[in-house]
Amino acid sequence: MIKEEKGREPKRRSTRQRRVVLEVLRSTTSHPTADWIYEQVRKRIPNISLGTVYRNLKLLRDMGEIMELDFGSTYSRFDGNPNPHYHFSCMDCGRVMDVDIPVATELEEKVRCRHGWEVFSHRVEFYGLCAECSRRRLSEEEAPPTSEGQG
Ligand code: ZN
Ligand code: MN
């Protein structure tokens, strides 16, 4: 009986930790980093470590509950939506946003037909300027600093 009690408690704690990590990630559409998730989780579980948050993120990824996004940057971003979808990275503000177009599975068929390879998945990433950054750049071009035109 005592053995059972001992064995149950850590499991219940780790289940709660994993649930809170998942809830925090699903509460945002910003594709946050592990550090950001850690700061949010700490508000609910103050004594949790970054390592535990990281371990739970990897576990949830392996379970297919979340996605880990790697855009070749130094740190990963995480996505609470595990369903296949594309992303857009703004090269000015660094935000990562969901792209609202269907996943082009026909590309995989094209590659299969062309080369005879078995294609399981594909990755497409979009890079550019978000609407706000694009507007800001335009307004900067149209209205250059007044000090330059003087003298
Ligand atoms: Zn931007
Ligand atoms: Mn996403």
Side-chain angles (χ1 to χ4, degrees):
M1 284 303 254
I2 292 166
K3 264 185 191 169
E4 258 185 41
E5 288 292 321
K6 273 187 180 170
R8 207 176 285 161
E9 192 52 36
K11 193 178 178 210
R12 198 156 56 203
R13 193 176 62 201
S14 66
T15 303
R16 173 163 185 258
Q17 288 170 340
R18 198 164 67 228
R19 182 168 47 79
V20 171
V21 168
L22 187 60
E23 279 171 12
V24 163
L25 185 52
R26 294 228 163 121
S27 72
T28 178
T29 56
S30 68
H31 308 92
T33 62
D35 284 324
W36 185 91
I37 297 163
Y38 169 58
E39 292 303 326
Q40 304 305 307
V41 171
R42 266 176 72 191
K43 292 175 185 169
R44 290 170 61 182
I45 310 174
N47 60 351
I48 198 164
S49 70
L50 177 60
T52 299
V53 169
Y54 217 79
R55 194 154 29 84
N56 277 293
L57 285 168
K58 301 285 181 188
L59 198 66
L60 286 163
R61 179 202 61 194
D62 294 345
M63 291 164 72
E65 293 284 329
I66 66 171
M67 276 201 296
E68 183 173 2
L69 309 178
D70 169 22
F71 296 133
S73 94
T74 45
Y75 49 81
S76 296
R77 287 166 167 273
F78 292 89
D79 192 335
N81 176 8
N83 302 314
H85 60 280
Y86 297 133
H87 293 100
F88 174 88
S89 285
C90 177
M91 295 164 81
D92 247 17
C93 66
R95 281 190 296 171
V96 174
M97 287 168 277
D98 289 338
V99 175
D100 190 19
I101 63 168
V103 169
T105 45
E106 67 272 15
L107 284 176
E108 297 172 16
E109 183 62 15
K110 274 188 187 171
V111 173
R112 192 189 67 78
C113 287
R114 183 75 176 85
H115 294 281
W117 298 328
E118 225 182 318
V119 181
F120 300 129
S121 66
H122 72 275
R123 253 171 63 164
V124 174
E125 288 149 19
F126 297 91
Y127 296 92
L129 296 176
C130 73
E132 281 146 64
C133 290
S134 180
R135 259 200 307 274
R136 198 186 55 246
R137 278 205 184 179
L138 270 174
S139 68
E140 280 166 8
E141 280 168 22
E142 281 166 9
T146 46
S147 58
E148 270 183 35
Q150 290 170 352

